Amino acid sequence: DSGVTQTPKHLITATGQRVTLRCSPRSGDLSVYWYQQSLDQGLQFLIQYYNGEERAKGNILERFSAQQFPDLHSELNLSSLELGDSALYFCASSVGMGGDRATDTQYFGPGTRLTVL
Amino acid sequence: AQTVTQSQPEMSVQEAETVTLSCTYDTSESDYYLFWYKQPPSRQMILVIRQEAYKQQNATENRFSVNFQKAAKSFSLKISDSQLGDAAMYFCAGDIIQGAQKLVFGQGTRLTINP
């Protein structure tokens, strides 16, 4: 158990819908990262938040957005869902913001499996 | 481009034997970390081992060790005394992009342990 929690474990929804994925980082970690794991794209970085502020952005679609709240949990919002958004979404956390690699080891949550029908 | 490549989509090994998984990467950075993550059927991503690029000594964690060749940009994982519970997808990853906090992942190697 990494200490990172994600809810829900599974989500099944229809095209065009909107969903919210939730992540709680390990105790003491200030950074939260979101990754998408799909069969054809592998693991792709989406976005990072550090202590409530967006820190880095990757291949995140405009239909997707995220935020980190004062209690450091994070939510990833996916809207206007398409079949191709079906994937495993991971949240990871680390102590630091990045830049000091000694504190940047990322620990992953169990993931949320999203199925869009 | 900063990339991580795992050239072995699948590997198999007999229980109790040793297996080595390969990984190469490309970066212009001199200071970075490399990681091996394990993803069993449960889909959880589990950190197996990490290596700091500025350290000469290869990292070890119990039955897991790495062979880090910085000049060759190679980072292989050796699993000794393989156990059935080692069966999983193994991903090589690195934070190899200056100023970016994201991990770049390889495509993974599926490891099968034969009893």
Side-chain angles (χ1 to χ4, degrees):
Chain A
D1 185 356
S2 67
V4 180
T5 60
Q6 289 186 249
T7 56
K9 278 190 177 179
H10 303 278
L11 203 47
I12 301 174
T13 189
T15 54
Q17 295 298 303
R18 172 190 169 93
V19 297
T20 297
L21 313 184
R22 182 187 169 106
C23 167
S24 292
R26 296 187 317 156
S27 177
D29 285 0
L30 298 178
S31 272
V32 168
Y33 309 76
W34 287 96
Y35 290 84
Q36 179 193 58
Q37 185 179 29
S38 59
L39 282 175
D40 56 346
Q41 294 290 323
L43 272 150
Q44 300 281 321
F45 169 75
L46 295 177
I47 197 164
Q48 178 205 2
Y49 278 82
Y50 175 79
N51 204 21
E53 299 290 326
E54 183 184 301
R55 177 74 179 165
K57 221 168 187 176
N59 302 321
I60 188 167
L61 300 171
E62 284 191 15
R63 301 184 285 110
F64 296 0
S65 65
Q67 55 184 325
Q68 186 179 27
F69 295 87
D71 67 352
L72 300 177
H73 91 271
S74 178
E75 293 180 355
L76 179 67
N77 301 296
L78 315 177
S79 61
S80 303
L81 284 167
E82 301 174 358
L83 296 177
D85 298 328
S86 295
L88 192 54
Y89 290 84
F90 283 106
C91 166
S93 73
S94 71
V95 173
M97 69 166 71
D100 175 7
R101 288 186 158 99
T103 60
D104 290 348
T105 295
Q106 295 179 29
Y107 296 90
F108 282 74
T112 293
R113 177 169 293 285
L114 173 66
T115 302
V116 182
L117 301 176
Chain B
Q2 291 89 346
T3 57
V4 175
T5 303
Q6 293 177 251
S7 58
Q8 306 154 316
E10 296 183 0
M11 292 281 287
S12 64
V13 65
Q14 290 296 123
E15 193 176 2
E17 297 294 306
T18 295
V19 64
T20 299
L21 309 183
S22 301
C23 173
T24 58
Y25 59 94
D26 186 22
T27 182
S28 56
E29 296 304 308
S30 58
D31 179 24
Y32 48 88
Y33 275 61
L34 297 166
F35 306 86
W36 280 97
Y37 285 90
K38 169 185 176 181
Q39 188 177 39
S42 67
R43 295 293 194 166
Q44 173 85 47
M45 291 290 285
I46 301 166
L47 178 66
V48 174
I49 198 166
R50 75 173 195 174
Q51 174 76 41
E52 301 163 40
Y54 60 87
K55 283 194 174 178
Q56 301 272 4
Q57 187 173 6
N58 289 323
T60 62
E61 287 287 343
N62 301 313
R63 297 182 295 106
F64 299 86
S65 62
V66 299
N67 183 4
F68 173 51
Q69 302 289 328
K70 191 172 183 180
K73 295 179 180 172
S74 168
F75 181 60
S76 60
L77 174 70
K78 185 171 85 171
I79 306 174
S80 303
D81 186 25
S82 297
Q83 300 175 0
L84 295 178
D86 295 333
M89 281 289 286
Y90 285 82
F91 291 94
C92 178
D95 66 340
I96 53 176
I97 303 176
Q98 176 62 32
Q101 287 70 50
K102 66 177 184 178
L103 288 177
V104 179
F105 282 85
Q107 289 301 100
T109 296
R110 182 173 301 282
L111 178 64
T112 302
I113 312 294
N114 300 313

